[in-house]
Amino acid sequence: MARSRSPSVRSNPREDKEIEEGPVVKDSSLAEGTFHQAQVSGQAERKHFFSPPDSALADAVNRDADNVEFTEEEEKAVRRKIDIRVLSLVVCSYIFNQFDRTNIGNAHVLKPFNQNFGVTDNNKWTLALSIFYVGYCILEMPANVLQRHIGANRFFFLSLTWWGIASLSFVYAKGYAGLLVLRVLLGIGEAGYYAGMIYYLSFWYRRSELAMRISLCMTGTLPGAIGGLLAFGLVRAHTSLLTGWQFLFLIEAIPTLLMALAILLFLPSFPFSATFLTPRERAIAQARLNRDHRPQSHGGMNGWAGFKAVVNDVNAWALMIIYASFNVGVATISYFLPTLINELGFTPLASQGLTVAPYAAGWFLVLFQAWHSDRTRDRGYHIMFSTALSCVGYIVLAALAGRGTSSRMIGGRYFALFLVVGGNYSLFPLVMSWAANVFSPTSKRGVGTAFIVSISNCVSIASPQIYFDSKHDFRDGHAIAAACLFASFLAAFLLRTRLAYLNRRNAEAVRAAASSEASEKKAEVSEEIWDDDPRYVFMT
């Protein structure tokens, strides 16, 4: 049976001409996945930097995707090309993102850095960490709307350039006021980046492929391990012009600016504009997604409509609670890990090197959790496991705080850091891929992921303040973090229970309507299914 055409797709007069001249040729082109793209070839490029991508080409690729025929081997080949081009660029950009965000934590254990910026006590330090999230919270959702309008490569170019310059400015800045201003600017530059990358990857990968890809590129364990090694070496450098902590910011900022240019030139905005794929491969890339969740680069809800839909969605608030609760731990451990190791009695330089092992071990847990989550098509149980693991780590840290510096106490607290780092960071890909799986249509998904990150980072403004009790080895801070992880565990349990119930209810509704002729016709419409449609299946 021929598939009905989406009413939002405009018919092309040239298509009718092709039908009259040679239907056999047309049918062959349709199966090849190149017919409609051939009709729009040679159209004008975008007028200026902030103009949106060509919607005619997007429509053409989607129409070809509805008819293209391909083998499993061809699909794997296309996915491999996407991994090589898209995923590698995303991985590199996120590594540099984490360098520029967390290098201040490595610098804080050095006296020259604190003297230069007037960080004389723990209160000034935690304020400098918290103020980063102000711009992050305010601009997260507007940034996501801008990304969808101008395309991912142009948006991420602006983002990386902004925070790269801000990070580079640390080298010659002085005084506590200068530190606060640069932290705010750094947060503004990074606003929209994390949620935007999750949203962007949802245009390239099936829902069952997303967590593993996010774990490869969007988790702080690998950058943390590399950053610890770099810091261990760079802080030893010294010249007549620059000292160790300045080299740390300089060497880690310059690659960010180079990466910004690479993103602009080589990262495609959407699959339909991917020049590294042939027209047939673009149709296959789009067809893979259309048979899973049909992401749409144009149309759908506007930003305000998407925001209202998200705010009125119970699932969005549950995901926000999960993210905000575990992010309390992440927002502290990412900055305080060198300090916590230093508190065990190690020297500042040794503390830099000893951050590598927890991050490296955590990276393996992140990969395993994401791989197994995709393989079993489960998010909820995996999130509960990671929150429980991190919660246990914080409980151990709180219990052993202030118990002295014997080898047993030091070994126990250092081991607990492995549990905290692995548990916390494995939650990033699991929770954000779950959010990408729960929200539909695409326009709501973009606003929804930004909403979760934005509101959660409002909590992160206060997160560094929980580590106020430095005189007691941060016992109270660890206890508060453990309580937050337990709250995240409960929210994940409740959300998974709710989504499983919705799937059962929707399945019954679909079976009840299966004999209806109207239902059959509706099922043929090749449009994106919304998450309030009984045909939509939530990943639990």
Side-chain angles (χ1 to χ4, degrees):
M1 181 182 293
R3 301 184 65 175
S4 55
R5 181 178 303 164
S6 171
S8 62
V9 178
R10 297 170 296 179
S11 61
N12 193 315
R14 292 183 58 184
E15 181 181 337
D16 297 331
K17 182 178 179 181
E18 288 287 344
I19 294 174
E20 294 175 1
E21 291 179 355
V24 176
V25 175
K26 174 180 178 291
D27 289 341
S28 176
S29 297
L30 286 175
E32 184 68 19
T34 60
F35 178 81
H36 295 99
Q37 293 176 73
Q39 314 307 306
V40 297
S41 61
Q43 290 195 358
E45 298 291 335
R46 288 194 263 183
K47 295 180 180 180
H48 54 81
F49 188 89
F50 292 99
S51 61
D54 184 12
S55 61
L57 181 57
D59 289 341
V61 172
N62 269 288
R63 294 166 72 182
D64 281 334
D66 287 336
N67 297 282
V68 66
E69 298 175 2
F70 55 93
T71 64
E72 184 178 350
E73 288 72 20
E74 287 180 297
E75 180 185 356
K76 289 181 179 179
V78 169
R79 187 177 60 196
R80 188 161 49 250
K81 291 183 71 172
I82 293 171
D83 285 340
I84 293 172
R85 171 63 70 88
V86 174
L87 199 62
S88 61
L89 289 172
V90 173
V91 168
C92 291
S93 69
Y94 189 76
I95 288 175
F96 298 142
N97 168 274
Q98 289 298 294
F99 284 170
D100 293 330
R101 176 189 285 201
T102 61
N103 52 16
I104 190 173
N106 289 313
H108 175 57
V109 297
L110 303 173
K111 287 185 178 179
F113 171 84
N114 296 322
Q115 292 170 350
N116 182 78
F117 287 110
V119 182
T120 56
D121 55 49
N122 191 62
N123 291 331
K124 284 190 172 183
W125 168 237
T126 55
L127 176 60
L129 298 181
S130 296
I131 203 169
F132 165 84
Y133 294 100
V134 174
Y136 213 113
C137 294
I138 296 173
L139 297 176
E140 186 74 35
M141 282 184 280
N144 193 269
V145 174
L146 176 63
Q147 175 191 336
R148 190 166 189 252
H149 178 73
I150 68 174
N153 61 335
R154 299 185 182 199
F155 172 77
F156 294 130
F157 166 76
L158 295 174
S159 181
L160 268 71
T161 300
W162 181 286
W163 92 57
I165 293 174
S167 183
L168 190 63
S169 300
F170 275 87
V171 176
Y172 292 107
K174 293 182 181 296
Y176 189 64
L179 175 64
L180 295 181
V181 169
L182 288 178
R183 289 290 293 171
V184 171
L185 293 176
L186 196 63
I188 291 174
E190 294 193 22
Y193 173 82
Y194 184 73
M197 278 297 186
I198 304 298
Y199 174 63
Y200 175 68
L201 290 175
S202 72
F203 281 92
W204 293 94
Y205 295 104
R206 296 175 185 265
R207 293 188 294 175
S208 60
E209 300 168 345
L210 202 53
M212 185 61 185
R213 265 67 184 188
I214 295 174
S215 73
L216 290 171
C217 57
M218 304 295 285
T219 181
T221 48
L222 179 61
I226 298 174
L229 285 173
L230 286 175
F232 184 71
L234 291 174
V235 296
R236 299 168 183 268
H238 183 80
T239 67
S240 59
L241 297 177
L242 300 175
T243 189
W245 69 266
Q246 291 173 309
F247 276 106
L248 182 63
F249 283 92
L250 177 67
I251 299 302
E252 293 185 353
I254 291 177
T256 299
L257 297 173
L258 298 176
M259 191 70 219
L261 183 60
I263 288 282
L264 179 65
L265 297 178
F266 302 112
L267 186 73
S269 295
F270 296 100
F272 68 81
S273 61
T275 56
F276 72 94
L277 298 176
T278 65
R280 173 172 170 77
E281 289 172 335
R282 285 197 291 267
I284 294 173
Q286 190 65 50
R288 294 178 68 247
L289 278 296
N290 286 359
R291 298 172 188 182
D292 186 55
H293 61 277
R294 295 195 68 85
Q296 300 293 320
S297 59
H298 294 77
M301 302 177 180
N302 58 32
W304 178 243
F307 176 76
K308 290 192 293 183
V310 168
V311 170
N312 291 316
D313 191 340
V314 175
N315 299 334
W317 290 100
L319 285 163
M320 187 276 293
I321 293 172
I322 296 170
Y323 191 103
S325 298
F326 87 78
N327 203 41
V328 170
V330 174
T332 51
I333 201 68
S334 59
Y335 295 120
F336 278 89
L337 185 58
T339 301
L340 294 176
I341 295 175
N342 185 231
E343 292 288 329
L344 298 179
F346 296 100
T347 66
L349 288 178
S351 300
Q352 309 283 1
L354 287 171
T355 62
V356 176
Y359 278 127
W363 186 67
F364 286 104
L365 179 62
V366 169
L367 290 181
F368 175 78
Q369 278 281 78
W371 169 80
H372 196 261
S373 175
D374 278 345
R375 184 180 178 84
T376 59
R377 299 182 65 85
D378 170 85
R379 300 286 187 254
Y381 287 137
H382 289 77
I383 289 172
M384 284 185 270
F385 173 80
S386 290
T387 52
L389 189 69
S390 183
C391 184
V392 169
Y394 279 117
I395 291 174
V396 172
L397 287 172
L400 298 183
R403 294 288 187 89
T405 56
S406 66
S407 58
R408 289 181 61 187
M409 293 299 104
I410 292 175
R413 290 163 68 182
Y414 188 58
F415 174 74
L417 293 174
F418 282 73
L419 302 181
V420 167
V421 170
N424 278 340
Y425 283 102
S426 63
L427 287 164
F428 272 119
L430 296 173
V431 174
M432 294 310 295
S433 62
W434 204 10
N437 297 156
V438 166
F439 298 127
S440 186
T442 310
S443 47
K444 181 182 177 182
R445 183 179 305 122
V447 176
T449 53
F451 170 82
I452 293 168
V453 174
S454 177
I455 302 300
S456 299
N457 280 322
C458 290
V459 177
S460 297
I461 294 176
S463 295
Q465 306 304 319
I466 72 170
Y467 275 11
F468 58 86
D469 56 332
S470 57
K471 294 181 180 179
H472 299 95
D473 290 336
F474 306 107
R475 180 192 294 114
D476 294 341
H478 295 321
I480 294 171
C484 290
L485 266 296
F486 182 68
S488 185
F489 176 94
L490 289 179
F493 171 76
L494 293 174
L495 179 59
R496 191 190 187 283
T497 302
R498 169 181 163 78
L499 294 180
Y501 164 74
L502 291 176
N503 282 341
R504 290 194 300 270
R505 188 192 68 180
N506 290 343
E508 292 174 0
V510 171
R511 283 195 296 268
S515 60
S516 169
E517 183 178 353
S519 171
E520 292 178 0
K521 290 182 178 179
K522 181 179 179 181
E524 292 178 6
V525 178
S526 55
E527 295 176 338
E528 190 171 16
I529 300 176
W530 290 31
D531 54 31
D532 58 357
D533 190 307
R535 293 173 294 160
Y536 191 82
V537 179
F538 295 99
M539 183 176 286
T540 58

mmCIF file of all heavy atoms in Angstrom, residues 94 98 101-102 133 220 323-337 359 390 394 420-421 423-428 460 463 466 481 485:
data_model
loop_
_atom_site.group_PDB
_atom_site.id
_atom_site.type_symbol
_atom_site.label_atom_id
_atom_site.label_comp_id
_atom_site.label_asym_id
_atom_site.label_seq_id
_atom_site.Cartn_x
_atom_site.Cartn_y
_atom_site.Cartn_z
ATOM 1 N N TYR A 94 33.581 18.470 23.608
ATOM 2 C CA TYR A 94 33.198 18.321 25.011
ATOM 3 C C TYR A 94 34.421 18.170 25.909
ATOM 4 O O TYR A 94 34.417 18.654 27.048
ATOM 5 C CB TYR A 94 32.278 17.111 25.190
ATOM 6 C CG TYR A 94 31.698 17.051 26.585
ATOM 7 C CD1 TYR A 94 30.667 17.902 26.964
ATOM 8 C CD2 TYR A 94 32.197 16.173 27.537
ATOM 9 C CE1 TYR A 94 30.143 17.873 28.239
ATOM 10 C CE2 TYR A 94 31.677 16.129 28.823
ATOM 11 C CZ TYR A 94 30.650 16.986 29.162
ATOM 12 O OH TYR A 94 30.140 16.960 30.430
ATOM 13 N N GLN A 98 35.078 20.630 29.143
ATOM 14 C CA GLN A 98 35.364 20.250 30.519
ATOM 15 C C GLN A 98 36.705 20.791 30.998
ATOM 16 O O GLN A 98 36.855 21.141 32.173
ATOM 17 C CB GLN A 98 35.325 18.726 30.649
ATOM 18 C CG GLN A 98 33.936 18.142 30.540
ATOM 19 C CD GLN A 98 33.024 18.630 31.652
ATOM 20 O OE1 GLN A 98 33.219 18.335 32.820
ATOM 21 N NE2 GLN A 98 32.007 19.391 31.279
ATOM 22 N N ARG A 101 35.992 24.368 31.901
ATOM 23 C CA ARG A 101 35.067 24.530 33.019
ATOM 24 C C ARG A 101 35.721 24.150 34.347
ATOM 25 O O ARG A 101 35.499 24.803 35.368
ATOM 26 C CB ARG A 101 33.819 23.669 32.815
ATOM 27 C CG ARG A 101 32.871 23.739 34.004
ATOM 28 C CD ARG A 101 31.747 22.723 33.921
ATOM 29 N NE ARG A 101 30.744 23.114 32.957
ATOM 30 C CZ ARG A 101 29.496 22.643 32.961
ATOM 31 N NH1 ARG A 101 29.122 21.768 33.890
ATOM 32 N NH2 ARG A 101 28.626 23.017 32.052
ATOM 33 N N THR A 102 36.513 23.091 34.365
ATOM 34 C CA THR A 102 36.987 22.536 35.632
ATOM 35 C C THR A 102 38.462 22.798 35.928
ATOM 36 O O THR A 102 38.931 22.403 37.003
ATOM 37 C CB THR A 102 36.756 21.016 35.645
ATOM 38 O OG1 THR A 102 37.501 20.403 34.579
ATOM 39 C CG2 THR A 102 35.282 20.693 35.467
ATOM 40 N N TYR A 133 26.985 29.536 37.262
ATOM 41 C CA TYR A 133 25.711 28.984 36.809
ATOM 42 C C TYR A 133 24.630 30.042 36.565
ATOM 43 O O TYR A 133 23.548 29.702 36.081
ATOM 44 C CB TYR A 133 25.201 27.967 37.834
ATOM 45 C CG TYR A 133 26.081 26.749 37.936
ATOM 46 C CD1 TYR A 133 27.014 26.623 38.965
ATOM 47 C CD2 TYR A 133 26.003 25.733 36.994
ATOM 48 C CE1 TYR A 133 27.835 25.504 39.057
ATOM 49 C CE2 TYR A 133 26.815 24.618 37.074
ATOM 50 C CZ TYR A 133 27.734 24.508 38.108
ATOM 51 O OH TYR A 133 28.546 23.413 38.181
ATOM 52 N N GLY A 220 32.144 13.738 32.044
ATOM 53 C CA GLY A 220 33.367 14.401 32.482
ATOM 54 C C GLY A 220 34.480 13.476 32.917
ATOM 55 O O GLY A 220 35.542 13.964 33.321
ATOM 56 N N TYR A 323 17.724 14.996 37.702
ATOM 57 C CA TYR A 323 18.949 15.670 37.240
ATOM 58 C C TYR A 323 19.466 16.642 38.297
ATOM 59 O O TYR A 323 20.668 16.665 38.612
ATOM 60 C CB TYR A 323 18.671 16.397 35.927
ATOM 61 C CG TYR A 323 19.901 16.905 35.215
ATOM 62 C CD1 TYR A 323 20.410 16.239 34.113
ATOM 63 C CD2 TYR A 323 20.564 18.049 35.632
ATOM 64 C CE1 TYR A 323 21.529 16.693 33.449
ATOM 65 C CE2 TYR A 323 21.692 18.519 34.992
ATOM 66 C CZ TYR A 323 22.170 17.841 33.897
ATOM 67 O OH TYR A 323 23.282 18.295 33.266
ATOM 68 N N ALA A 324 18.562 17.465 38.842
ATOM 69 C CA ALA A 324 18.982 18.476 39.813
ATOM 70 C C ALA A 324 19.575 17.826 41.055
ATOM 71 O O ALA A 324 20.556 18.333 41.626
ATOM 72 C CB ALA A 324 17.786 19.351 40.191
ATOM 73 N N SER A 325 19.007 16.697 41.488
ATOM 74 C CA SER A 325 19.474 16.048 42.710
ATOM 75 C C SER A 325 20.874 15.464 42.540
ATOM 76 O O SER A 325 21.748 15.675 43.383
ATOM 77 C CB SER A 325 18.487 14.954 43.124
ATOM 78 O OG SER A 325 17.212 15.488 43.404
ATOM 79 N N PHE A 326 21.104 14.734 41.454
ATOM 80 C CA PHE A 326 22.447 14.168 41.300
ATOM 81 C C PHE A 326 23.457 15.225 40.877
ATOM 82 O O PHE A 326 24.655 15.092 41.140
ATOM 83 C CB PHE A 326 22.447 12.977 40.321
ATOM 84 C CG PHE A 326 22.617 13.304 38.875
ATOM 85 C CD1 PHE A 326 23.862 13.613 38.339
ATOM 86 C CD2 PHE A 326 21.532 13.274 38.004
ATOM 87 C CE1 PHE A 326 24.027 13.896 36.988
ATOM 88 C CE2 PHE A 326 21.684 13.548 36.662
ATOM 89 C CZ PHE A 326 22.941 13.862 36.153
ATOM 90 N N ASN A 327 22.973 16.311 40.257
ATOM 91 C CA ASN A 327 23.890 17.354 39.820
ATOM 92 C C ASN A 327 24.497 18.120 40.989
ATOM 93 O O ASN A 327 25.514 18.791 40.840
ATOM 94 C CB ASN A 327 23.169 18.332 38.881
ATOM 95 C CG ASN A 327 24.132 19.070 37.979
ATOM 96 O OD1 ASN A 327 25.087 18.496 37.463
ATOM 97 N ND2 ASN A 327 23.893 20.358 37.777
ATOM 98 N N VAL A 328 23.855 18.031 42.164
ATOM 99 C CA VAL A 328 24.463 18.605 43.362
ATOM 100 C C VAL A 328 25.815 17.946 43.610
ATOM 101 O O VAL A 328 26.808 18.609 43.924
ATOM 102 C CB VAL A 328 23.541 18.424 44.582
ATOM 103 C CG1 VAL A 328 24.271 18.797 45.878
ATOM 104 C CG2 VAL A 328 22.286 19.271 44.438
ATOM 105 N N GLY A 329 25.853 16.617 43.450
ATOM 106 C CA GLY A 329 27.112 15.907 43.618
ATOM 107 C C GLY A 329 28.112 16.228 42.534
ATOM 108 O O GLY A 329 29.297 16.461 42.804
ATOM 109 N N VAL A 330 27.644 16.274 41.278
ATOM 110 C CA VAL A 330 28.547 16.536 40.154
ATOM 111 C C VAL A 330 29.130 17.945 40.247
ATOM 112 O O VAL A 330 30.325 18.157 40.002
ATOM 113 C CB VAL A 330 27.816 16.350 38.817
ATOM 114 C CG1 VAL A 330 28.711 16.772 37.654
ATOM 115 C CG2 VAL A 330 27.391 14.903 38.648
ATOM 116 N N ALA A 331 28.284 18.923 40.594
ATOM 117 C CA ALA A 331 28.734 20.312 40.637
ATOM 118 C C ALA A 331 29.773 20.544 41.726
ATOM 119 O O ALA A 331 30.513 21.527 41.675
ATOM 120 C CB ALA A 331 27.534 21.240 40.866
ATOM 121 N N THR A 332 29.816 19.648 42.702
ATOM 122 C CA THR A 332 30.824 19.791 43.750
ATOM 123 C C THR A 332 32.053 18.941 43.478
ATOM 124 O O THR A 332 33.184 19.430 43.577
ATOM 125 C CB THR A 332 30.222 19.407 45.116
ATOM 126 O OG1 THR A 332 29.598 18.128 45.015
ATOM 127 C CG2 THR A 332 29.191 20.424 45.551
ATOM 128 N N ILE A 333 31.861 17.679 43.117
ATOM 129 C CA ILE A 333 33.010 16.789 42.956
ATOM 130 C C ILE A 333 33.900 17.228 41.801
ATOM 131 O O ILE A 333 35.121 17.054 41.836
ATOM 132 C CB ILE A 333 32.546 15.322 42.767
ATOM 133 C CG1 ILE A 333 33.675 14.350 43.104
ATOM 134 C CG2 ILE A 333 32.051 15.063 41.357
ATOM 135 C CD1 ILE A 333 34.040 14.339 44.566
ATOM 136 N N SER A 334 33.309 17.829 40.754
ATOM 137 C CA SER A 334 34.115 18.251 39.602
ATOM 138 C C SER A 334 35.081 19.372 39.970
ATOM 139 O O SER A 334 36.148 19.497 39.361
ATOM 140 C CB SER A 334 33.208 18.693 38.451
ATOM 141 O OG SER A 334 32.387 19.767 38.850
ATOM 142 N N TYR A 335 34.721 20.192 40.950
ATOM 143 C CA TYR A 335 35.595 21.288 41.384
ATOM 144 C C TYR A 335 36.405 20.933 42.626
ATOM 145 O O TYR A 335 37.507 21.438 42.823
ATOM 146 C CB TYR A 335 34.765 22.542 41.684
ATOM 147 C CG TYR A 335 34.075 23.129 40.484
ATOM 148 C CD1 TYR A 335 32.693 23.244 40.443
ATOM 149 C CD2 TYR A 335 34.800 23.579 39.385
ATOM 150 C CE1 TYR A 335 32.047 23.787 39.344
ATOM 151 C CE2 TYR A 335 34.167 24.120 38.280
ATOM 152 C CZ TYR A 335 32.790 24.221 38.264
ATOM 153 O OH TYR A 335 32.156 24.753 37.171
ATOM 154 N N PHE A 336 35.853 20.085 43.491
ATOM 155 C CA PHE A 336 36.471 19.828 44.788
ATOM 156 C C PHE A 336 37.326 18.571 44.817
ATOM 157 O O PHE A 336 37.959 18.308 45.846
ATOM 158 C CB PHE A 336 35.387 19.719 45.871
ATOM 159 C CG PHE A 336 34.920 21.045 46.397
ATOM 160 C CD1 PHE A 336 33.868 21.714 45.798
ATOM 161 C CD2 PHE A 336 35.539 21.637 47.495
ATOM 162 C CE1 PHE A 336 33.437 22.936 46.277
ATOM 163 C CE2 PHE A 336 35.112 22.856 47.988
ATOM 164 C CZ PHE A 336 34.053 23.513 47.380
ATOM 165 N N LEU A 337 37.348 17.776 43.759
ATOM 166 C CA LEU A 337 38.103 16.530 43.820
ATOM 167 C C LEU A 337 39.577 16.757 44.161
ATOM 168 O O LEU A 337 40.105 16.082 45.061
ATOM 169 C CB LEU A 337 37.967 15.752 42.506
ATOM 170 C CG LEU A 337 38.613 14.365 42.480
ATOM 171 C CD1 LEU A 337 38.038 13.475 43.591
ATOM 172 C CD2 LEU A 337 38.423 13.691 41.121
ATOM 173 N N TYR A 359 38.780 9.196 37.935
ATOM 174 C CA TYR A 359 38.156 9.538 36.655
ATOM 175 C C TYR A 359 38.302 8.401 35.646
ATOM 176 O O TYR A 359 37.366 8.094 34.897
ATOM 177 C CB TYR A 359 38.779 10.812 36.085
ATOM 178 C CG TYR A 359 38.205 12.078 36.660
ATOM 179 C CD1 TYR A 359 39.037 13.049 37.218
ATOM 180 C CD2 TYR A 359 36.837 12.333 36.630
ATOM 181 C CE1 TYR A 359 38.517 14.227 37.737
ATOM 182 C CE2 TYR A 359 36.309 13.505 37.146
ATOM 183 C CZ TYR A 359 37.157 14.450 37.697
ATOM 184 O OH TYR A 359 36.633 15.612 38.212
ATOM 185 N N SER A 390 26.653 6.116 44.016
ATOM 186 C CA SER A 390 27.196 7.409 44.424
ATOM 187 C C SER A 390 26.775 7.757 45.848
ATOM 188 O O SER A 390 27.566 8.310 46.622
ATOM 189 C CB SER A 390 26.730 8.496 43.451
ATOM 190 O OG SER A 390 27.292 9.743 43.788
ATOM 191 N N TYR A 394 29.203 8.770 49.099
ATOM 192 C CA TYR A 394 29.102 9.956 49.943
ATOM 193 C C TYR A 394 28.903 9.592 51.415
ATOM 194 O O TYR A 394 29.414 10.278 52.314
ATOM 195 C CB TYR A 394 27.957 10.845 49.472
ATOM 196 C CG TYR A 394 28.313 11.727 48.301
ATOM 197 C CD1 TYR A 394 27.667 11.580 47.071
ATOM 198 C CD2 TYR A 394 29.296 12.701 48.409
ATOM 199 C CE1 TYR A 394 27.990 12.386 45.989
ATOM 200 C CE2 TYR A 394 29.638 13.509 47.334
ATOM 201 C CZ TYR A 394 28.982 13.343 46.127
ATOM 202 O OH TYR A 394 29.310 14.140 45.070
ATOM 203 N N VAL A 420 31.869 7.699 44.042
ATOM 204 C CA VAL A 420 31.192 8.975 43.793
ATOM 205 C C VAL A 420 31.371 9.414 42.343
ATOM 206 O O VAL A 420 30.410 9.783 41.659
ATOM 207 C CB VAL A 420 31.720 10.048 44.762
ATOM 208 C CG1 VAL A 420 31.265 11.440 44.322
ATOM 209 C CG2 VAL A 420 31.237 9.761 46.175
ATOM 210 N N VAL A 421 32.614 9.383 41.853
ATOM 211 C CA VAL A 421 32.892 9.828 40.478
ATOM 212 C C VAL A 421 32.190 8.915 39.473
ATOM 213 O O VAL A 421 31.508 9.385 38.552
ATOM 214 C CB VAL A 421 34.413 9.861 40.217
ATOM 215 C CG1 VAL A 421 34.699 10.090 38.738
ATOM 216 C CG2 VAL A 421 35.062 10.962 41.047
ATOM 217 N N GLY A 423 29.595 6.814 39.912
ATOM 218 C CA GLY A 423 28.141 6.912 40.014
ATOM 219 C C GLY A 423 27.598 8.211 39.461
ATOM 220 O O GLY A 423 26.638 8.215 38.688
ATOM 221 N N ASN A 424 28.215 9.333 39.854
ATOM 222 C CA ASN A 424 27.719 10.639 39.396
ATOM 223 C C ASN A 424 27.789 10.798 37.886
ATOM 224 O O ASN A 424 26.811 11.166 37.232
ATOM 225 C CB ASN A 424 28.521 11.767 40.058
ATOM 226 C CG ASN A 424 28.027 12.100 41.448
ATOM 227 O OD1 ASN A 424 26.895 11.786 41.806
ATOM 228 N ND2 ASN A 424 28.868 12.731 42.249
ATOM 229 N N TYR A 425 28.954 10.532 37.325
ATOM 230 C CA TYR A 425 29.136 10.817 35.910
ATOM 231 C C TYR A 425 28.426 9.821 34.999
ATOM 232 O O TYR A 425 28.102 10.156 33.857
ATOM 233 C CB TYR A 425 30.625 10.898 35.579
ATOM 234 C CG TYR A 425 31.247 12.198 36.014
ATOM 235 C CD1 TYR A 425 32.015 12.285 37.165
ATOM 236 C CD2 TYR A 425 31.048 13.362 35.284
ATOM 237 C CE1 TYR A 425 32.575 13.473 37.578
ATOM 238 C CE2 TYR A 425 31.604 14.563 35.682
ATOM 239 C CZ TYR A 425 32.372 14.617 36.832
ATOM 240 O OH TYR A 425 32.904 15.815 37.228
ATOM 241 N N SER A 426 28.172 8.611 35.473
ATOM 242 C CA SER A 426 27.413 7.669 34.639
ATOM 243 C C SER A 426 25.952 8.086 34.529
ATOM 244 O O SER A 426 25.233 7.604 33.649
ATOM 245 C CB SER A 426 27.509 6.254 35.215
ATOM 246 O OG SER A 426 26.940 6.168 36.503
ATOM 247 N N LEU A 427 25.507 8.988 35.401
ATOM 248 C CA LEU A 427 24.124 9.448 35.351
ATOM 249 C C LEU A 427 23.874 10.429 34.214
ATOM 250 O O LEU A 427 22.750 10.530 33.717
ATOM 251 C CB LEU A 427 23.742 10.096 36.689
ATOM 252 C CG LEU A 427 23.536 9.113 37.841
ATOM 253 C CD1 LEU A 427 23.551 9.834 39.185
ATOM 254 C CD2 LEU A 427 22.240 8.353 37.659
ATOM 255 N N PHE A 428 24.871 11.173 33.797
ATOM 256 C CA PHE A 428 24.683 12.148 32.726
ATOM 257 C C PHE A 428 24.097 11.532 31.459
ATOM 258 O O PHE A 428 23.025 11.953 30.997
ATOM 259 C CB PHE A 428 26.008 12.850 32.402
ATOM 260 C CG PHE A 428 26.275 14.064 33.227
ATOM 261 C CD1 PHE A 428 27.380 14.133 34.056
ATOM 262 C CD2 PHE A 428 25.433 15.161 33.183
ATOM 263 C CE1 PHE A 428 27.635 15.247 34.829
ATOM 264 C CE2 PHE A 428 25.674 16.285 33.947
ATOM 265 C CZ PHE A 428 26.785 16.326 34.777
ATOM 266 N N SER A 460 22.332 24.199 40.982
ATOM 267 C CA SER A 460 23.790 24.126 41.028
ATOM 268 C C SER A 460 24.428 25.420 41.510
ATOM 269 O O SER A 460 25.588 25.418 41.949
ATOM 270 C CB SER A 460 24.341 23.775 39.638
ATOM 271 O OG SER A 460 23.894 22.501 39.236
ATOM 272 N N SER A 463 24.899 24.586 44.887
ATOM 273 C CA SER A 463 25.586 23.318 45.164
ATOM 274 C C SER A 463 26.962 23.487 45.801
ATOM 275 O O SER A 463 27.259 22.811 46.806
ATOM 276 C CB SER A 463 25.701 22.500 43.867
ATOM 277 O OG SER A 463 24.420 22.119 43.412
ATOM 278 N N ILE A 466 27.276 23.823 49.673
ATOM 279 C CA ILE A 466 27.090 22.743 50.654
ATOM 280 C C ILE A 466 28.431 22.303 51.244
ATOM 281 O O ILE A 466 28.462 21.680 52.308
ATOM 282 C CB ILE A 466 26.363 21.521 50.051
ATOM 283 C CG1 ILE A 466 27.266 20.748 49.078
ATOM 284 C CG2 ILE A 466 25.062 21.923 49.380
ATOM 285 C CD1 ILE A 466 26.707 19.424 48.645
ATOM 286 N N ALA A 481 24.983 15.771 50.027
ATOM 287 C CA ALA A 481 25.067 15.168 48.691
ATOM 288 C C ALA A 481 24.453 13.772 48.689
ATOM 289 O O ALA A 481 23.760 13.383 47.746
ATOM 290 C CB ALA A 481 26.518 15.120 48.226
ATOM 291 N N LEU A 485 21.316 12.400 46.357
ATOM 292 C CA LEU A 485 21.367 11.211 45.500
ATOM 293 C C LEU A 485 20.242 10.245 45.835
ATOM 294 O O LEU A 485 19.680 9.589 44.941
ATOM 295 C CB LEU A 485 22.723 10.515 45.648
ATOM 296 C CG LEU A 485 23.831 10.879 44.643
ATOM 297 C CD1 LEU A 485 23.419 10.466 43.235
ATOM 298 C CD2 LEU A 485 24.157 12.363 44.672
#
